[in-house]
Amino acid sequence: FDWGWPKEIDREHVEDCLALRFLEEKANVVLVGPNGIGKTMIAQNIGYAAVLRGISVLRISASEMLSDLARQETSSALQRRIRHYAQPGVLLLDEVGYLAYDLRAGDLLFEVVSRRHQSRPIVLTTNRIFSDWNEVFPNSSCATALVDRLVHKAEIVHIDGESY
């Protein structure tokens, strides 16, 4: 990672996340910043560090996961897929906020986050500040509750700068 590229990054905070201290508290890690500044690379490095410690990691983009969940045709199939995303030791959820979703997508993400809440961490990347998540999940009544669950116990890393 080119630490000199972003004009704003708390290297010590990122290195603390890479040391996986958040796992002890079952806290989430949220990487927030504009496109192209290394959020995904940092998240993948966190996932790699977890794998080296023997922790299961599932990396998926938000759009892939939400599309998968939306395709489930029965309630039981949906519950099986939600369990699939709830099981790994770390869920690395990339690119939340890059696309706008329908009402159901917000509810589906809320289900996954709720299942993992205070038990299994999520490492999430987003290009949107939390106050903009109502635009990502328009008309979703759970957007505020979703953000509350994500940040309840979370390491929030803000990165700023131009695209690499």
mmCIF file of all heavy atoms in Angstrom, residues 1-11 14-15 18 36-39 41-42 45 159-164:
data_model
loop_
_atom_site.group_PDB
_atom_site.id
_atom_site.type_symbol
_atom_site.label_atom_id
_atom_site.label_comp_id
_atom_site.label_asym_id
_atom_site.label_seq_id
_atom_site.Cartn_x
_atom_site.Cartn_y
_atom_site.Cartn_z
ATOM 1 N N PHE A 1 0.846 -1.180 0.000
ATOM 2 C CA PHE A 1 0.000 0.000 0.000
ATOM 3 C C PHE A 1 0.887 1.238 0.000
ATOM 4 O O PHE A 1 1.841 1.315 0.769
ATOM 5 C CB PHE A 1 -0.920 -0.003 1.228
ATOM 6 C CG PHE A 1 -1.947 1.094 1.198
ATOM 7 C CD1 PHE A 1 -3.097 0.948 0.448
ATOM 8 C CD2 PHE A 1 -1.754 2.268 1.909
ATOM 9 C CE1 PHE A 1 -4.043 1.962 0.408
ATOM 10 C CE2 PHE A 1 -2.688 3.271 1.876
ATOM 11 C CZ PHE A 1 -3.834 3.122 1.123
ATOM 12 N N ASP A 2 0.579 2.168 -0.839
ATOM 13 C CA ASP A 2 1.345 3.409 -0.934
ATOM 14 C C ASP A 2 0.792 4.408 0.086
ATOM 15 O O ASP A 2 -0.157 5.136 -0.189
ATOM 16 C CB ASP A 2 1.251 3.967 -2.357
ATOM 17 C CG ASP A 2 2.068 5.228 -2.564
ATOM 18 O OD1 ASP A 2 2.649 5.745 -1.585
ATOM 19 O OD2 ASP A 2 2.114 5.701 -3.709
ATOM 20 N N TRP A 3 1.384 4.416 1.272
ATOM 21 C CA TRP A 3 0.905 5.269 2.364
ATOM 22 C C TRP A 3 1.015 6.753 2.028
ATOM 23 O O TRP A 3 0.334 7.575 2.621
ATOM 24 C CB TRP A 3 1.669 4.975 3.649
ATOM 25 C CG TRP A 3 1.405 3.608 4.174
ATOM 26 C CD1 TRP A 3 2.244 2.535 4.111
ATOM 27 C CD2 TRP A 3 0.220 3.141 4.834
ATOM 28 N NE1 TRP A 3 1.658 1.439 4.685
ATOM 29 C CE2 TRP A 3 0.420 1.777 5.141
ATOM 30 C CE3 TRP A 3 -0.980 3.740 5.180
ATOM 31 C CZ2 TRP A 3 -0.544 1.006 5.784
ATOM 32 C CZ3 TRP A 3 -1.941 2.972 5.824
ATOM 33 C CH2 TRP A 3 -1.722 1.616 6.119
ATOM 34 N N GLY A 4 1.851 7.107 1.081
ATOM 35 C CA GLY A 4 2.012 8.507 0.713
ATOM 36 C C GLY A 4 0.965 9.009 -0.260
ATOM 37 O O GLY A 4 0.864 10.203 -0.502
ATOM 38 N N TRP A 5 0.160 8.099 -0.846
ATOM 39 C CA TRP A 5 -0.796 8.530 -1.852
ATOM 40 C C TRP A 5 -2.006 9.239 -1.258
ATOM 41 O O TRP A 5 -2.290 10.366 -1.665
ATOM 42 C CB TRP A 5 -1.256 7.363 -2.721
ATOM 43 C CG TRP A 5 -2.200 7.876 -3.767
ATOM 44 C CD1 TRP A 5 -3.550 7.794 -3.771
ATOM 45 C CD2 TRP A 5 -1.856 8.629 -4.926
ATOM 46 N NE1 TRP A 5 -4.079 8.423 -4.854
ATOM 47 C CE2 TRP A 5 -3.042 8.960 -5.582
ATOM 48 C CE3 TRP A 5 -0.653 9.065 -5.472
ATOM 49 C CZ2 TRP A 5 -3.080 9.678 -6.765
ATOM 50 C CZ3 TRP A 5 -0.687 9.787 -6.645
ATOM 51 C CH2 TRP A 5 -1.886 10.091 -7.279
ATOM 52 N N PRO A 6 -2.775 8.642 -0.362
ATOM 53 C CA PRO A 6 -3.942 9.386 0.119
ATOM 54 C C PRO A 6 -3.483 10.628 0.872
ATOM 55 O O PRO A 6 -2.492 10.591 1.597
ATOM 56 C CB PRO A 6 -4.657 8.417 1.068
ATOM 57 C CG PRO A 6 -4.032 7.099 0.875
ATOM 58 C CD PRO A 6 -2.677 7.339 0.286
ATOM 59 N N LYS A 7 -4.232 11.705 0.702
ATOM 60 C CA LYS A 7 -3.832 12.901 1.443
ATOM 61 C C LYS A 7 -4.259 12.809 2.899
ATOM 62 O O LYS A 7 -3.719 13.510 3.744
ATOM 63 C CB LYS A 7 -4.358 14.176 0.782
ATOM 64 C CG LYS A 7 -5.856 14.362 0.787
ATOM 65 C CD LYS A 7 -6.228 15.654 0.085
ATOM 66 C CE LYS A 7 -7.742 15.809 0.053
ATOM 67 N NZ LYS A 7 -8.145 16.955 -0.733
ATOM 68 N N GLU A 8 -5.192 11.914 3.191
ATOM 69 C CA GLU A 8 -5.614 11.721 4.579
ATOM 70 C C GLU A 8 -5.858 10.240 4.847
ATOM 71 O O GLU A 8 -6.715 9.618 4.214
ATOM 72 C CB GLU A 8 -6.893 12.499 4.862
ATOM 73 C CG GLU A 8 -7.412 12.341 6.268
ATOM 74 C CD GLU A 8 -8.754 13.042 6.459
ATOM 75 O OE1 GLU A 8 -8.957 14.123 5.890
ATOM 76 O OE2 GLU A 8 -9.599 12.470 7.164
ATOM 77 N N ILE A 9 -5.062 9.666 5.753
ATOM 78 C CA ILE A 9 -5.256 8.287 6.194
ATOM 79 C C ILE A 9 -4.556 8.139 7.544
ATOM 80 O O ILE A 9 -3.463 8.666 7.742
ATOM 81 C CB ILE A 9 -4.713 7.266 5.174
ATOM 82 C CG1 ILE A 9 -5.094 5.837 5.580
ATOM 83 C CG2 ILE A 9 -3.219 7.418 4.968
ATOM 84 C CD1 ILE A 9 -4.865 4.795 4.498
ATOM 85 N N ASP A 10 -5.209 7.473 8.464
ATOM 86 C CA ASP A 10 -4.608 7.220 9.771
ATOM 87 C C ASP A 10 -3.909 5.863 9.703
ATOM 88 O O ASP A 10 -4.528 4.819 9.927
ATOM 89 C CB ASP A 10 -5.688 7.237 10.858
ATOM 90 C CG ASP A 10 -5.148 7.097 12.262
ATOM 91 O OD1 ASP A 10 -3.988 6.644 12.426
ATOM 92 O OD2 ASP A 10 -5.890 7.430 13.201
ATOM 93 N N ARG A 11 -2.639 5.891 9.363
ATOM 94 C CA ARG A 11 -1.879 4.653 9.163
ATOM 95 C C ARG A 11 -1.902 3.779 10.407
ATOM 96 O O ARG A 11 -2.048 2.560 10.313
ATOM 97 C CB ARG A 11 -0.435 4.986 8.766
ATOM 98 C CG ARG A 11 0.393 3.756 8.495
ATOM 99 C CD ARG A 11 1.764 4.110 7.996
ATOM 100 N NE ARG A 11 2.532 2.906 7.705
ATOM 101 C CZ ARG A 11 3.661 2.891 7.043
ATOM 102 N NH1 ARG A 11 4.189 4.013 6.591
ATOM 103 N NH2 ARG A 11 4.291 1.750 6.818
ATOM 104 N N VAL A 14 -5.175 1.948 10.594
ATOM 105 C CA VAL A 14 -5.231 0.866 9.608
ATOM 106 C C VAL A 14 -4.371 -0.307 10.068
ATOM 107 O O VAL A 14 -4.798 -1.466 9.999
ATOM 108 C CB VAL A 14 -4.789 1.370 8.220
ATOM 109 C CG1 VAL A 14 -4.653 0.204 7.238
ATOM 110 C CG2 VAL A 14 -5.768 2.399 7.683
ATOM 111 N N GLU A 15 -3.171 -0.024 10.546
ATOM 112 C CA GLU A 15 -2.295 -1.107 11.006
ATOM 113 C C GLU A 15 -2.892 -1.833 12.202
ATOM 114 O O GLU A 15 -2.714 -3.046 12.344
ATOM 115 C CB GLU A 15 -0.908 -0.558 11.297
ATOM 116 C CG GLU A 15 -0.164 -0.204 10.018
ATOM 117 C CD GLU A 15 1.189 0.448 10.233
ATOM 118 O OE1 GLU A 15 1.480 0.918 11.360
ATOM 119 O OE2 GLU A 15 1.961 0.491 9.254
ATOM 120 N N LEU A 18 -5.243 -4.193 10.675
ATOM 121 C CA LEU A 18 -4.495 -5.291 10.075
ATOM 122 C C LEU A 18 -3.972 -6.274 11.120
ATOM 123 O O LEU A 18 -3.756 -7.450 10.827
ATOM 124 C CB LEU A 18 -3.332 -4.745 9.244
ATOM 125 C CG LEU A 18 -3.733 -4.061 7.937
ATOM 126 C CD1 LEU A 18 -2.580 -3.244 7.385
ATOM 127 C CD2 LEU A 18 -4.212 -5.086 6.923
ATOM 128 N N GLY A 36 -11.066 4.640 -5.662
ATOM 129 C CA GLY A 36 -9.704 4.514 -6.134
ATOM 130 C C GLY A 36 -8.608 4.898 -5.166
ATOM 131 O O GLY A 36 -7.492 5.195 -5.586
ATOM 132 N N ILE A 37 -8.887 4.870 -3.863
ATOM 133 C CA ILE A 37 -7.854 5.278 -2.900
ATOM 134 C C ILE A 37 -7.334 4.124 -2.051
ATOM 135 O O ILE A 37 -6.567 4.344 -1.135
ATOM 136 C CB ILE A 37 -8.331 6.426 -1.994
ATOM 137 C CG1 ILE A 37 -9.595 6.022 -1.262
ATOM 138 C CG2 ILE A 37 -8.518 7.697 -2.782
ATOM 139 C CD1 ILE A 37 -9.945 6.941 -0.139
ATOM 140 N N GLY A 38 -7.761 2.903 -2.341
ATOM 141 C CA GLY A 38 -7.180 1.748 -1.662
ATOM 142 C C GLY A 38 -8.043 1.072 -0.618
ATOM 143 O O GLY A 38 -7.551 0.207 0.110
ATOM 144 N N LYS A 39 -9.317 1.423 -0.525
ATOM 145 C CA LYS A 39 -10.181 0.791 0.474
ATOM 146 C C LYS A 39 -10.247 -0.725 0.278
ATOM 147 O O LYS A 39 -10.107 -1.485 1.226
ATOM 148 C CB LYS A 39 -11.598 1.379 0.423
ATOM 149 C CG LYS A 39 -11.689 2.838 0.723
ATOM 150 C CD LYS A 39 -13.113 3.347 0.643
ATOM 151 C CE LYS A 39 -13.832 3.079 -0.643
ATOM 152 N NZ LYS A 39 -13.349 3.823 -1.816
ATOM 153 N N MET A 41 -8.127 -2.671 -1.300
ATOM 154 C CA MET A 41 -6.833 -3.292 -1.039
ATOM 155 C C MET A 41 -6.621 -3.479 0.466
ATOM 156 O O MET A 41 -6.184 -4.552 0.904
ATOM 157 C CB MET A 41 -5.690 -2.460 -1.614
ATOM 158 C CG MET A 41 -4.319 -3.060 -1.301
ATOM 159 S SD MET A 41 -2.979 -2.122 -2.000
ATOM 160 C CE MET A 41 -2.990 -2.819 -3.639
ATOM 161 N N ILE A 42 -6.948 -2.470 1.239
ATOM 162 C CA ILE A 42 -6.802 -2.577 2.693
ATOM 163 C C ILE A 42 -7.722 -3.675 3.223
ATOM 164 O O ILE A 42 -7.315 -4.501 4.034
ATOM 165 C CB ILE A 42 -7.070 -1.222 3.380
ATOM 166 C CG1 ILE A 42 -5.966 -0.223 3.025
ATOM 167 C CG2 ILE A 42 -7.183 -1.392 4.889
ATOM 168 C CD1 ILE A 42 -6.276 1.218 3.427
ATOM 169 N N ASN A 45 -6.335 -7.015 2.455
ATOM 170 C CA ASN A 45 -5.198 -7.311 3.323
ATOM 171 C C ASN A 45 -5.660 -7.709 4.722
ATOM 172 O O ASN A 45 -5.053 -8.590 5.344
ATOM 173 C CB ASN A 45 -4.241 -6.121 3.372
ATOM 174 C CG ASN A 45 -3.447 -5.969 2.096
ATOM 175 O OD1 ASN A 45 -3.249 -6.919 1.356
ATOM 176 N ND2 ASN A 45 -3.005 -4.756 1.821
ATOM 177 N N ILE A 159 -10.597 7.684 4.714
ATOM 178 C CA ILE A 159 -9.469 7.889 3.807
ATOM 179 C C ILE A 159 -9.911 8.945 2.805
ATOM 180 O O ILE A 159 -11.038 8.910 2.310
ATOM 181 C CB ILE A 159 -9.098 6.577 3.063
ATOM 182 C CG1 ILE A 159 -8.883 5.432 4.057
ATOM 183 C CG2 ILE A 159 -7.857 6.797 2.211
ATOM 184 C CD1 ILE A 159 -8.743 4.076 3.408
ATOM 185 N N ASP A 160 -9.010 9.886 2.508
ATOM 186 C CA ASP A 160 -9.364 10.915 1.550
ATOM 187 C C ASP A 160 -8.206 11.146 0.594
ATOM 188 O O ASP A 160 -7.043 10.971 0.967
ATOM 189 C CB ASP A 160 -9.723 12.227 2.260
ATOM 190 C CG ASP A 160 -10.471 13.183 1.350
ATOM 191 O OD1 ASP A 160 -10.995 12.738 0.306
ATOM 192 O OD2 ASP A 160 -10.521 14.385 1.671
ATOM 193 N N GLY A 161 -8.521 11.515 -0.611
ATOM 194 C CA GLY A 161 -7.499 11.796 -1.606
ATOM 195 C C GLY A 161 -8.045 11.580 -2.992
ATOM 196 O O GLY A 161 -9.215 11.257 -3.188
ATOM 197 N N GLU A 162 -7.172 11.747 -3.964
ATOM 198 C CA GLU A 162 -7.521 11.528 -5.367
ATOM 199 C C GLU A 162 -7.365 10.049 -5.706
ATOM 200 O O GLU A 162 -6.579 9.345 -5.078
ATOM 201 C CB GLU A 162 -6.612 12.357 -6.263
ATOM 202 C CG GLU A 162 -6.713 13.858 -6.041
ATOM 203 C CD GLU A 162 -8.087 14.405 -6.348
ATOM 204 O OE1 GLU A 162 -8.676 13.970 -7.358
ATOM 205 O OE2 GLU A 162 -8.576 15.242 -5.563
ATOM 206 N N SER A 163 -8.068 9.607 -6.717
ATOM 207 C CA SER A 163 -7.960 8.225 -7.168
ATOM 208 C C SER A 163 -6.520 7.911 -7.572
ATOM 209 O O SER A 163 -5.861 8.726 -8.209
ATOM 210 C CB SER A 163 -8.887 7.986 -8.346
ATOM 211 O OG SER A 163 -8.743 6.675 -8.835
ATOM 212 N N TYR A 164 -6.049 6.738 -7.144
ATOM 213 C CA TYR A 164 -4.696 6.318 -7.441
ATOM 214 C C TYR A 164 -4.495 6.153 -8.925
ATOM 215 O O TYR A 164 -3.512 6.425 -9.484
ATOM 216 C CB TYR A 164 -4.370 5.006 -6.698
ATOM 217 C CG TYR A 164 -2.913 4.650 -6.686
ATOM 218 C CD1 TYR A 164 -2.042 5.282 -5.835
ATOM 219 C CD2 TYR A 164 -2.421 3.683 -7.551
ATOM 220 C CE1 TYR A 164 -0.697 4.954 -5.813
ATOM 221 C CE2 TYR A 164 -1.076 3.343 -7.540
ATOM 222 C CZ TYR A 164 -0.231 3.983 -6.661
ATOM 223 O OH TYR A 164 1.108 3.659 -6.638
#
